[in-house]
Amino acid sequence: MRLLLVFAHPLEHSFAAVVARTAKETLEAGGHSVDMLELYREGFDPRLTETERRGYHSTKRKAHLQRIRQALSKI
Ligand SMILES: Cc1cc2nc3c(=O)[nH]c(=O)nc-3n(C[C@H](O)[C@H](O)[C@H](O)COP(=O)(O)O)c2cc1C
């Protein structure tokens, strides 16, 4: 199975980070493919700006959409 693991925590050694890494490693050991999206590491800003809303289908968020689509595909 293809999975997208979305992780959002600012601290590399937090409990949440350990859980996320353990989940990724365990799933991969089970033969699954895991794409881990680390929102803090990439400086993701959840606020949608006016410019982004007006260019809704041509913004940098398109890369995230592709990763979601990949996780939903069966191949
Ligand atoms: C972006 C973010 C969102 C969070 N959202 C929630 C939440 O909705 N409910 C909650 O109980 N804790 C929330 N937390 C707190 C985490 O669950 C908390 O980090 C957890 O208790 C584990 O501790 P840690 O900070 O060492 O990972 C959030 C933390 C972060 C960074």
Side-chain angles (χ1 to χ4, degrees):
M1 186 182 283
R2 264 179 141 150
L3 298 139
L4 177 64
L5 178 55
V6 181
F7 177 62
H9 195 292
L11 302 180
E12 195 180 334
H13 301 293
S14 63
F15 175 73
V18 173
V19 169
R21 278 198 296 273
T22 303
K24 184 177 189 293
E25 288 165 11
T26 305
L27 287 162
E28 286 173 342
H32 301 286
S33 166
V34 181
D35 175 14
M36 190 154 156
L37 175 54
E38 299 191 47
L39 297 179
Y40 274 92
R41 188 167 287 185
E42 69 173 47
F44 179 78
D45 185 348
R47 294 170 303 168
L48 187 67
T49 65
E50 181 184 340
T51 305
E52 284 177 323
R53 178 57 189 92
R54 292 191 186 285
Y56 210 66
H57 301 289
S58 57
T59 69
K60 63 182 178 184
R61 291 170 200 266
K62 207 168 185 176
H64 288 154
L65 183 59
Q66 283 174 342
R67 288 169 79 171
I68 292 168
R69 283 193 175 130
Q70 268 189 331
L72 292 172
S73 71
K74 292 195 188 315
I75 303 167

